[in-house]
Amino acid sequence: MPPSFSFGAGICVLLALNLLIDQSVHSEDLPFGGQCSQKSLGTSPLYTGTKRVAIIGAGSAGSSTAYYLKDRSPIPVNITIFETSDYVGGRSTTVNAFDDPAYPAELGASIFVRANKNLVSAAERFGLVNSKAFSERPKESKYDLGIWTGSEFIFREGTDGNWWSDVAKLLWRYGLAPILTQRLMKSTVDKFLKMYEEPYFPFADLSETVEAVGLLDFTGHTGQEVLERAKIGQKFSTEIIQSSTRVNYGQNLGVIHGLETMVCMATDGAMAIDGGNWQIFDHMIRASGAHLRLNTTVSSIDRHEDGHYTLTYQHSAPEKDTSAAETDDFDVIVLTAPYHSSGLDGSIKPSLINPPDKIPYVTLHVTLLTSPHKLSPKYFNARSADEVPEMVITTLPTGMDTGLDRDHAVGPSVFWSVSTLATVPRVDKSGQVTTHYLYKIFSPDPANSTLVSQLLGFDLGPSTSSSISGIPSADVSWSYVKEWKSYPYELPRVTFENLKLDDHQLYYTNAIEPFISTMETSSLMGSNIAALIANQWEGDMARPRDVCTASKFLKSQG
């Protein structure tokens, strides 16, 4: 297949980071009397036979931490994962239309790409079946993709497989900008990929590593500034590239930093796991042997003088009252949820020496629904239904400020995207089989009944409520809505969060989010934290030899 200039998938490549830790050996701890010998791992609080690790969160980062730590640990490890919700996967969540597993739809992280080393290798190891992204689309339209401004389509990509025709249209409209963008994206991804390998992996300081691999010029400027510096034309930037940053992150080029802008353009080899991407993380947890505690919320963390931690937590199932608080002790804690929304802000003692910044998150409303109606040609100013693309993503009209404030960032289009995911056969009251279409809408505000009726071209009755659930089943046969705090506002910055929140062993994988927010990035951070923990334990195992040597030296000096 020729190189892809198809940016319609609007998906992301990802990557990661880490941190290192150290413990001091004080001279007063050295054995000055008698014969010096290697200490057993079990004779000191520092060396326990089995290390106990608590991971807070069962999404990509948490499951990856457990999976890679079990694989890399030089000593036995007992892992417990605490998850507030009733499922594994975090922002990778699948909902079945009509509660039928034959028709799954991703609520969050929909696809991953060939360059996502952790996700691809895990899917292969676990024998999970992946399909080309968006392969279930009906293909009843002339166009796979359209970019909509709120009044017109400025670009449409055909379904006829004529790659050369689409490329010719791009080059005719935008000149060399697509080629310059492709080159810039590939060079940026190459810099990212260094973070998977030595000498960068694992690393202790994200800010230093970002600078070392040459990415500060991208994170420190907006996407608009980075593209202007690369002499990529404004028309291509605001029409094509900005539509990708909007569908992926709900942010325009004047807001989002240049690095996240570039990875949004890396869509080669887009794929998804049949039945839901969450299965990767479920298999990781199973392979790790971790104890999984769903519907369990950690309410406080207390560190003791000897270095171990006590977690206080409560279990609550939807059908039961919240249980009494329980406690448990651990040697290492890994927090994967955003600190300020984890419920632990102010509930960790002693106070954190590296408290995370309070970062604003994008509010994303996801609406899944099924209907017998196709997307309306009237709404999209098209001549017929087959001229409305099956995936509509949006951008701002020419001349509109790309640095719009958060409340008005979406512009006149009202939504970020609307996609026709698949067809679903339904049996009507007369026993006839009819075709319904499964749609997904991303929007900054809840998609109400008025918007849905306009998008699908049906009339609302006078008594219909504003809620989608109030639409008659003849027009909307099933629906599911979800509000996410989906990803941070990826504002330009040149320094990043610490990967340890204290001076001991309280790790924070979510430090990666202001850098890049993706499934793969979270997984790589989890693998990196696991490597740092394992390296620490290896050092602890070797340290008694160093203590012994130091003891002999000091004793010889009188």
Side-chain angles (χ1 to χ4, degrees):
M1 175 178 286
S4 173
F5 287 107
S6 170
F7 306 115
I11 311 143
C12 294
V13 164
L14 348 150
L15 296 83
L17 61 122
N18 347 83
L19 145 98
L20 202 57
I21 48 186
D22 182 50
Q23 280 185 306
S24 300
V25 176
H26 302 287
S27 60
E28 60 265 31
D29 297 326
L30 297 176
F32 280 98
Q35 184 177 359
C36 185
S37 62
Q38 173 84 32
K39 285 186 178 180
S40 163
L41 292 179
T43 61
S44 157
L46 182 63
Y47 308 115
T48 57
T50 298
K51 291 290 187 180
R52 302 198 71 212
V53 177
I55 298 171
I56 303 172
S60 175
S63 59
S64 296
T65 302
Y67 174 65
Y68 288 103
L69 183 57
K70 183 70 172 181
D71 183 60
R72 296 184 65 122
S73 177
I75 56 178
V77 58
N78 184 310
I79 302 169
T80 302
I81 300 175
F82 297 90
E83 171 56 51
T84 300
S85 67
D86 61 356
Y87 64 89
V88 167
R91 288 170 291 181
S92 178
T93 308
T94 302
V95 175
N96 298 322
F98 302 103
D99 294 323
D100 187 340
Y103 306 107
E106 293 282 2
L107 266 181
S110 300
I111 62 101
F112 54 102
V113 298
R114 189 180 301 116
N116 297 163
K117 294 183 178 182
N118 284 10
L119 300 185
V120 170
S121 64
E124 291 176 351
R125 174 179 175 180
F126 300 133
L128 298 174
V129 178
N130 62 66
S131 301
K132 183 179 178 181
F134 315 117
S135 59
E136 297 299 317
R137 284 185 186 160
K139 298 178 176 60
E140 295 176 358
S141 170
K142 296 177 182 178
Y143 303 102
D144 279 327
L145 165 79
I147 299 175
W148 175 250
T149 66
S151 60
E152 64 175 333
F153 284 111
I154 53 176
F155 180 80
R156 286 183 292 189
E157 182 181 78
T159 57
D160 57 7
N162 191 337
W163 179 84
W164 293 109
S165 174
D166 290 330
V167 171
K169 284 190 290 186
L170 281 169
L171 296 178
W172 177 82
R173 184 173 178 86
Y174 303 112
L176 294 178
I179 296 173
L180 294 175
T181 301
Q182 190 82 343
R183 290 174 180 170
L184 182 61
M185 178 273 293
K186 287 188 174 181
S187 68
T188 306
V189 170
D190 286 344
K191 292 174 182 178
F192 264 126
L193 294 177
K194 294 178 182 178
M195 299 171 70
Y196 284 83
E197 309 292 344
E198 293 181 349
Y200 305 104
F201 182 93
F203 54 87
D205 189 301
L206 177 57
S207 300
E208 290 181 358
T209 304
V210 171
E211 182 176 14
V213 299
L215 290 174
L216 278 188
D217 281 345
F218 291 85
T219 64
H221 298 86
T222 65
Q224 183 172 309
E225 291 169 339
V226 167
L227 296 169
E228 288 175 354
R229 185 178 63 202
K231 302 189 183 307
I232 293 169
Q234 184 178 8
K235 178 180 285 191
F236 186 76
S237 297
T238 57
E239 292 185 0
I240 301 292
I241 300 177
Q242 185 165 260
S243 66
S244 188
T245 65
R246 285 162 62 91
V247 69
N248 278 297
Y249 293 105
Q251 296 166 64
N252 294 313
L253 287 176
V255 173
I256 193 169
H257 65 60
L259 178 58
E260 200 76 279
T261 299
M262 280 294 98
V263 298
C264 282
M265 304 307 295
T267 64
D268 288 352
M271 65 189 82
I273 300 299
D274 290 355
N277 295 325
W278 63 271
Q279 295 172 92
I280 296 176
F281 310 121
D282 181 66
H283 277 76
M284 282 183 166
I285 291 174
R286 293 175 186 273
S288 74
H291 305 284
L292 178 61
R293 295 185 175 180
L294 298 176
N295 297 305
T296 304
T297 301
V298 175
S299 57
S300 67
I301 301 173
D302 294 277
R303 194 183 84 222
H304 302 276
E305 289 186 3
D306 66 357
H308 84 272
Y309 299 86
T310 296
L311 263 65
T312 302
Y313 58 91
Q314 287 181 303
H315 177 82
S316 60
E319 69 280 1
K320 296 180 181 179
D321 294 333
T322 301
S323 65
E326 300 179 57
T327 62
D328 209 346
D329 293 340
F330 297 92
D331 300 292
V332 178
I333 308 292
V334 182
L335 175 60
T336 72
Y339 171 69
H340 292 284
S341 61
S342 66
L344 292 169
D345 189 355
S347 297
I348 301 177
K349 297 178 182 179
S351 297
L352 301 178
I353 63 172
N354 298 313
D357 296 338
K358 192 165 186 177
I359 300 168
Y361 270 66
V362 173
T363 299
L364 179 70
H365 292 270
V366 183
T367 304
L368 298 172
L369 62 89
T370 56
S371 172
H373 305 293
K374 292 186 176 183
L375 291 174
S376 168
K378 179 180 178 181
Y379 183 87
F380 289 104
N381 298 327
R383 290 174 295 184
S384 59
D386 65 356
E387 291 194 349
V388 180
E390 292 187 341
M391 182 175 187
V392 179
I393 59 179
T394 66
T395 192
L396 298 174
T398 301
M400 185 168 283
D401 182 12
T402 63
L404 288 175
D405 66 80
R406 296 167 196 164
D407 292 336
H408 301 93
V410 71
S413 65
V414 183
F415 57 86
W416 302 119
S417 67
V418 56
S419 302
T420 310
L421 301 180
T423 56
V424 180
R426 300 301 295 166
V427 179
D428 63 21
K429 293 179 180 178
S430 65
Q432 297 295 312
V433 177
T434 59
T435 297
H436 286 223
Y437 298 91
L438 174 59
Y439 296 104
K440 178 160 66 174
I441 303 169
F442 285 169
S443 56
D445 299 305
N448 58 32
S449 58
T450 300
L451 175 62
V452 170
S453 67
Q454 291 172 345
L455 284 172
L456 300 181
F458 61 84
D459 294 326
L460 286 174
S463 61
T464 303
S465 70
S466 62
S467 171
I468 293 176
S469 61
I471 299 174
S473 59
D475 295 310
V476 172
S477 49
W478 172 86
S479 64
Y480 187 97
V481 297
K482 172 73 176 181
E483 178 183 315
W484 292 105
K485 294 296 183 183
S486 48
Y487 20 69
Y489 282 96
E490 300 285 7
L491 305 175
R493 58 188 295 168
V494 294
T495 59
F496 297 91
E497 305 285 356
N498 289 286
L499 305 191
K500 283 176 67 179
L501 300 182
D502 65 3
D503 58 359
H504 195 57
Q505 296 196 71
L506 173 53
Y507 293 89
Y508 187 53
T509 65
N510 213 66
I512 193 70
E513 288 284 292
F515 177 59
I516 297 179
S517 177
T518 57
M519 282 193 294
E520 175 72 10
T521 326
S522 295
S523 179
L524 188 53
M525 173 60 93
S527 68
N528 183 72
I529 292 294
L532 293 170
I533 294 169
N535 288 353
Q536 164 102 16
W537 291 343
E538 287 178 354
D540 288 348
M541 292 172 67
R543 189 161 295 160
R545 297 189 183 91
D546 298 332
V547 169
C548 186
T549 301
S551 172
K552 287 180 178 178
F553 172 77
L554 291 173
K555 190 174 180 180
S556 71
Q557 299 302 304

